[in-house]
Amino acid sequence: MADGYDPQAVEAKWQARWAEERTYEVDNDDPRPPFYVLSMYPYPSGPAHQGHVRNYTFGDLIVRHRTMQGHAVLSPMGFDSFGLPAENAAIKANIHPRPFTDARIGELKASMLRLGAMYDWRREIRSHDPGYIRWNQVIFNRFLAAGLAYRANAPVNWCPGCNTVLANEQVLADGTCERSGDVVSKRNLEQWFFAITKYADELLECLDGLDWPERVKTMQRNWIGRSEGAEFDLPVDGRPDVKVRVFTTRPDTSFGMTYAVLAPEHPMVDELTTDDQRTAVAEFRERVSKESDIERLSTEGPAEKRGVFTGSSVVNPFNAQPVPVYLADYVLMGYGTGAIMAVPAEDQRDWDFAKAYDLPIVRTVQPPEGWEGEAYAGDGPVINSEWLNGLTDVATAKAKAIDWLEDQRLGERKVNYRLRDWLVSRQRFWGCPIPIVYCAADGIVPVPDDQLPVVAPDDVQMLSTGESPLKAHEGFRKTTCPKCGGPAERETDTMDTFVDSSWYFLRFCDPWDGMDPVDKKAAERWMPVDQYIGGIEHAILHLMYARFYTKALADLGIAPAGLREPFKRLFTQGMIRMGGTKMSKSKGNLVAPAKYLDTVGADSLRLYHLFVGPPADDVDWTEQTDELIDGCNRFLKRVWRLALGDGPGPAADAETVDRAAHRLIAKVSGDYERWSYNTAVAALMEFTNLLYKEGATDFAVDTMLLLLAPMTPHVAAELWERRRDGLVHTEPWPVADQDLVRQESATLIVQVNGKVRDRIVVDPGIDAGTAESLALASERVQEHLGGRTPKKVISRPPRLVNVVV
RNA sequence: GCCCGAGUGGCGGAAUGGCAGACGCGGUGGCCUCAAAAGCCACUGCCCUCCGGGGCGUGUGGGUUCGAGUCCCACCUCGGGCACCA
């Protein structure tokens, strides 16, 4: 009797061995074909939770599998270590966030090691390292020089809970902060922006070529929100030199314009408001400005209160008719020109407004017969539109209307985006300082590269007011102007932490480079990431910013010029839920992995995450989960005994067993390729059951260990070493012999009227005619025919024959 | 409201248009044991049965097909995303 399976002993032994062997440290001149696997680097909040375990299990499986297939696999890891939780915890404990953060990183890294996940730790990146901060700031300077970073006064989202501004992407649809849940309000502030909208078109177009989940691509397309249309001028009635510019996606419906609308914040409101309307307009604007986004976006409330007449009219250039100009809260200053032509017949919002204010409605598209709705936005023939009449579809009418506008020099074709520039300023302490100095003489001056990094000082008092201590720190704030040497003030805002994660994957290619943020030669070799793995929650924010950064860095000559996309393939794992909600620290419903590592071990926990269901699906953590994990452990114990001769004896029919082993190789290899790990595990369990029944062969057992090596690396390595005295993870991935994969016999299903009536063992190469006569000769078939003559016989050898009567 | 995704045993889940429920959990019975644990073996969708077998069954209702969990149409439920973006 060999010793029993002791996960803790086996795992400790192999984790030490792997650290010595350095199998997963790859150099940039490694001759093997490159493959870059990356799990999203985590925010260090303490020991790994189940979501991390799931993420790193998939990542590690791919790393080990690709290595066995002969690739040089780049598998780096780091920590997204700037951020609000550390800052808040530091305030609470009245300590500096750095030691706090370093301690959390230590805990997280330790649990990654205990999981047996392999990374090239030489390449580790921490966002808060001065070395990384320096490159972040160098890139900021390049962005500034190229006009990709700029400072502007704009209405921005202010979160009172986080005491900082937020990017549009960080505000949820209901107007609350995605992090704290507080209601976000608008403030006008001078802030730094990145010009992501310059890349709007490319960000949209490149999505088509990405091997990403369709869901994520759709979410990004919606977020970019491209719409094609036209912009043109509406001259004010009686003052032809004053014009209101409007954007529309439906220039074909222009003859149906019955009024025009300005956003309440539109700069021409005062000019267009007549004296008798001035009081009403002022009251309306006052009310709208006080409303939060939630109230303003709410469709609740009486429609009559949603707008006000300015007293002026503009002339519709299509038919020279004057139409009244209103203000309405449903028109936003931030999109298009902040003014619209209103066509109630083809736009439901305009329809509702027209009904409330008793404005006329003129249909310009013939709705289909039996149309009972109100506004009709669909396709149809043009009506009531003078020279557009007779056209039978919207697309042609649109094109003709735009051509006309351009011919008349009234307007032009125009594309608009929902995407806004990225607001990167944060009034926080624990982030990458924005490397800017404000000088009375020279204005905005970037800190020169050779004076970077600008790092936050250590001697700060963490303020419970929520204000960044940088503001109060005279030593930091007061500086000299790099240009004129005169007294100047530092920028005290830091960058959004999404900046850090927007290019770390490029830095991983050569984190030792002291000359440039990205080593182009190394990036050319490794990029784009072949397989990126992370949570669906990053579908828009991180993944959009990282795509923007990659394009911008390539255009600035920092990254390889041809690199247009960072992540070739993306896999988004499902989240872990408990009691209906996401398992998370903030919800307080974590089930720590440590308890499993201390009992059944890392391999059993990994196996559970692989076996529980399709990787993309959400996982429910229930009362049953511990039993499922025990089941995985039971399987590994069976494998243990099998491999060490304490299980079944040798197979009586070795050939049959070995053929099954070849089929197993084909099955598991195929499942690995299509991310179907749950069925791969099932096949391995099934095969183990077969060996317990039929007896084992050395080939069968060794094959199992090779196939298990990426999934349950410790136990596979231990058993392989005991049997073969080598390293299972440096063995080549097994290849199935196609001749042996083929089955020796097949089961022919015989149906009568689609119901199974008999099963016959046949030769897999059987032809249709033979199969048909075998089926008809079946006693059971004859019984069910009851003397009737078959109308038709479907023969699909060697699987099935269906006799129809 | 719009756009995705999903509905299969007590549970997690499996099924290139061709034996529905692989594999696992749970359950039942047996072997082993003084006993328990561990382990091994068998059974385990529902209903009927003369124990040969028969009927029903993948959210609902239709359709295509020799044959539908799978394809098409309409709907229901759940989950997610978007939602005055002109």
Side-chain angles (χ1 to χ4, degrees):
Chain A
M1 273 273 283
D3 55 334
Y5 172 41
D6 176 356
Q8 281 70 37
V10 171
E11 287 170 11
K13 168 184 166 182
W14 284 97
Q15 283 160 20
R17 277 287 288 283
W18 291 329
E20 281 164 34
E21 301 285 345
R22 300 172 179 270
T23 308
Y24 299 95
E25 291 180 3
V26 295
D27 294 327
N28 286 345
D29 59 0
D30 193 302
R32 294 171 293 174
F35 196 88
Y36 190 173
V37 182
L38 187 62
S39 296
M40 289 180 184
Y41 80 152
Y43 178 80
S45 55
H49 55 69
Q50 295 295 348
H52 292 132
V53 171
R54 200 168 166 73
N55 193 175
Y56 308 143
T57 296
F58 296 138
D60 190 54
L61 180 145
I62 295 170
V63 168
R64 294 179 185 270
H65 177 224
R66 290 283 175 178
T67 302
M68 290 175 81
Q69 285 184 323
H71 288 94
V73 178
L74 178 61
S75 169
M77 184 47 79
F79 301 95
D80 188 14
S81 47
F82 270 137
L84 209 44
E87 184 164 343
N88 290 339
I91 290 169
K92 230 176 180 174
N94 195 26
I95 53 164
H96 197 280
R98 182 176 297 107
F100 176 87
T101 300
D102 287 337
R104 298 292 84 73
I105 289 176
E107 291 164 357
L108 182 50
K109 197 167 168 178
S111 44
M112 288 169 155
L113 294 171
R114 279 201 73 187
L115 193 64
M118 299 311 294
Y119 304 104
D120 184 350
W121 286 109
R122 300 173 307 170
R123 297 175 187 256
E124 177 180 343
I125 287 172
R126 302 179 177 198
S127 304
H128 75 292
D129 271 353
Y132 194 71
I133 289 174
R134 174 183 167 202
W135 296 122
N136 248 339
Q137 293 171 339
V138 167
I139 292 171
F140 184 94
N141 283 347
R142 296 290 172 286
F143 275 20
L144 185 68
L148 283 173
Y150 64 92
R151 192 163 164 81
N153 188 287
V156 296
N157 306 299
W158 176 265
C159 172
C162 303
N163 258 301
T164 184
V165 299
L166 303 173
N168 287 331
E169 287 82 354
Q170 290 164 321
V171 182
L172 302 180
D174 65 355
T176 60
C177 169
E178 59 140 10
R179 181 172 285 281
S180 72
D182 288 292
V183 174
V184 172
S185 58
K186 288 278 177 196
R187 283 194 185 181
N188 279 301
L189 288 171
E190 282 271 321
Q191 301 283 300
W192 285 98
F193 291 86
F194 285 165
I196 189 171
T197 53
K198 286 195 178 169
Y199 287 91
D201 249 324
E202 205 197 328
L203 286 167
L204 184 67
E205 276 164 24
C206 289
L207 282 173
D208 295 335
L210 294 178
D211 189 1
W212 284 21
E214 219 33 66
R215 193 158 64 116
V216 176
K217 294 206 269 187
T218 304
M219 282 163 73
Q220 294 219 346
R221 280 189 196 105
N222 289 342
W223 189 262
I224 295 166
R226 182 182 201 271
S227 52
E228 274 180 49
E231 236 179 61
F232 61 96
D233 290 323
L234 304 176
V236 177
D237 195 20
R239 297 158 72 190
D241 52 314
V242 184
K243 289 165 178 150
V244 176
R245 198 159 180 88
V246 294
F247 172 73
T248 179
T249 56
R250 294 294 303 275
D252 59 300
T253 64
S254 297
F255 287 96
M257 176 193 335
T258 56
Y259 63 100
V261 186
L262 302 184
E265 305 89 350
H266 197 281
M268 291 175 72
V269 172
D270 284 335
E271 199 175 354
L272 293 187
T273 303
T274 56
D275 287 339
D276 54 324
Q277 289 300 103
R278 213 163 282 283
T279 318
V281 165
E283 273 173 18
F284 176 73
R285 293 179 84 186
E286 172 71 9
R287 200 181 70 233
V288 171
S289 71
K290 276 197 200 140
E291 282 179 341
S292 69
D293 268 17
I294 310 180
E295 288 164 321
R296 182 161 169 183
L297 296 182
S298 159
T299 45
E300 307 289 306
E304 294 75 22
K305 290 205 155 175
R306 310 200 55 200
V308 67
F309 181 45
T310 60
S312 293
S313 295
V314 290
V315 178
N316 179 353
F318 283 79
N319 57 12
Q321 292 299 308
V323 295
V325 179
Y326 280 75
L327 304 189
D329 62 356
Y330 77 90
V331 173
L332 309 173
M333 194 57 227
Y335 186 80
T337 60
I340 62 157
M341 66 166 194
V343 185
E346 277 87 35
D347 184 298
Q348 189 61 40
R349 294 159 302 180
D350 296 345
W351 177 287
D352 294 337
F353 193 85
K355 284 285 175 196
Y357 288 86
D358 212 18
L359 293 157
I361 296 172
V362 179
R363 287 205 189 273
T364 62
V365 179
Q366 181 63 55
E369 211 156 313
W371 172 256
E372 282 170 16
E374 301 179 328
Y376 175 70
D379 206 356
V382 181
I383 54 171
N384 299 325
S385 297
E386 301 182 16
W387 46 267
L388 281 177
N389 285 339
L391 295 178
T392 52
D393 69 280
V394 166
T396 316
K398 236 190 228 186
K400 194 167 174 187
I402 296 174
D403 288 346
W404 181 83
L405 282 170
E406 289 185 339
D407 285 348
Q408 305 286 314
R409 302 191 180 281
L410 292 167
E412 66 227 356
R413 195 172 303 274
K414 174 83 184 178
V415 177
N416 258 316
Y417 300 91
R418 210 187 81 114
L419 183 71
R420 294 296 135 77
D421 276 346
W422 176 13
L423 168 57
V424 294
S425 302
R426 293 292 180 277
Q427 290 73 50
R428 304 304 318 172
F429 172 73
W430 194 231
C432 176
I434 293 173
I436 291 291
V437 161
Y438 299 99
C439 169
D442 296 306
I444 297 173
V445 182
V447 177
D449 287 1
D450 59 13
Q451 292 173 32
L452 296 178
V454 175
V455 181
D458 282 339
D459 58 331
V460 292
Q461 194 66 33
M462 298 305 292
L463 304 170
S464 56
T465 57
E467 285 254 295
S468 165
L470 287 180
K471 262 194 148 138
H473 195 285
E474 294 283 298
F476 177 81
R477 217 181 69 220
K478 295 230 158 113
T479 183
T480 52
C481 171
K483 260 193 192 161
C484 68
E489 293 225 351
R490 280 192 197 283
E491 168 69 69
T492 55
D493 283 355
T494 54
M495 298 184 213
D496 184 359
T497 55
F498 278 108
V499 170
D500 309 326
S501 53
S502 290
W503 68 285
Y504 75 110
F505 44 87
L506 284 163
R507 187 68 192 164
F508 274 143
C509 297
D510 186 354
W512 304 283
D513 188 339
M515 299 300 291
D516 298 292
V518 177
D519 183 301
K520 274 198 264 187
K521 213 172 135 223
E524 249 157 44
R525 172 165 170 75
W526 296 112
M527 290 295 291
V529 174
D530 293 284
Q531 181 68 65
Y532 198 37
I533 310 158
I536 186 78
E537 65 272 20
H538 294 108
I540 295 174
L541 292 159
H542 162 58
L543 292 169
M544 185 84 79
Y545 295 146
R547 294 181 61 220
F548 157 64
Y549 246 73
T550 300
K551 293 173 192 300
L553 292 178
D555 289 343
L556 293 176
I558 295 172
L563 184 67
R564 302 317 299 179
E565 285 290 336
F567 314 121
K568 192 155 64 184
R569 288 186 81 188
L570 170 71
F571 189 85
T572 50
Q573 66 189 71
M575 62 178 185
I576 317 250
R577 286 182 314 207
M578 196 172 179
T581 50
K582 183 182 171 158
M583 189 187 268
S584 75
K585 202 172 185 179
S586 58
K587 298 246 163 54
N589 60 355
L590 288 184
V591 178
K595 104 176 211 208
Y596 302 100
L597 300 179
D598 292 340
T599 54
V600 293
D603 283 334
S604 293
L605 184 59
R606 289 170 62 124
L607 194 63
Y608 160 77
H609 278 287
L610 294 170
F611 184 54
V612 67
D617 288 7
D618 288 349
V619 177
D620 276 307
W621 203 274
T622 66
E623 317 79 60
Q624 203 198 13
T625 300
D626 279 5
E627 282 160 351
L628 296 177
I629 295 172
D630 284 343
C632 291
N633 183 244
R634 200 170 302 146
F635 166 70
L636 292 180
K637 287 198 268 190
R638 266 164 87 80
V639 172
W640 182 275
R641 292 192 302 270
L642 178 66
L644 298 182
D646 290 341
D653 181 359
E655 199 201 320
T656 301
V657 168
D658 287 347
R659 277 176 175 273
H662 280 278
R663 283 200 299 277
L664 181 73
I665 293 169
K667 166 74 177 159
V668 172
S669 299
D671 285 351
Y672 268 52
E673 296 301 328
R674 59 189 187 106
W675 281 77
S676 186
Y677 304 125
N678 54 329
T679 54
V681 176
L684 285 159
M685 288 173 166
E686 209 169 352
F687 186 68
T688 306
N689 292 342
L690 177 86
L691 297 190
Y692 268 79
K693 200 171 288 178
E694 301 294 329
T697 68
D698 279 338
F699 175 73
V701 174
D702 290 339
T703 294
M704 276 199 67
L705 296 179
L706 289 167
L707 298 177
L708 275 171
M711 295 180 161
T712 56
H714 313 83
V715 71
E718 176 68 16
L719 292 174
W720 184 270
E721 188 192 46
R722 291 193 190 202
R723 291 169 56 85
R724 305 287 302 267
D725 199 27
L727 294 172
V728 72
H729 292 101
T730 55
E731 291 292 320
W733 188 253
V735 177
D737 181 333
Q738 285 309 313
D739 289 338
L740 295 178
V741 164
R742 219 159 287 132
Q743 295 274 10
E744 286 179 295
S745 66
T747 303
L748 182 76
I749 302 304
V750 185
Q751 299 181 330
V752 177
N753 284 340
K755 294 197 172 174
V756 182
R757 297 303 181 189
D758 205 358
R759 296 175 179 83
I760 306 169
V761 176
V762 297
D763 184 283
I766 191 170
D767 65 81
T770 317
E772 182 175 334
S773 38
L774 264 175
L776 288 173
S778 153
E779 219 173 281
R780 306 246 4 244
V781 168
Q782 287 306 320
E783 264 172 47
H784 282 276
L785 284 180
R788 292 170 296 180
T789 326
K791 233 193 307 196
K792 195 173 176 183
V793 180
I794 313 288
S795 189
R796 290 288 135 78
R799 312 273 310 250
L800 172 132
V801 172
N802 187 11
V803 183
V804 186
V805 292

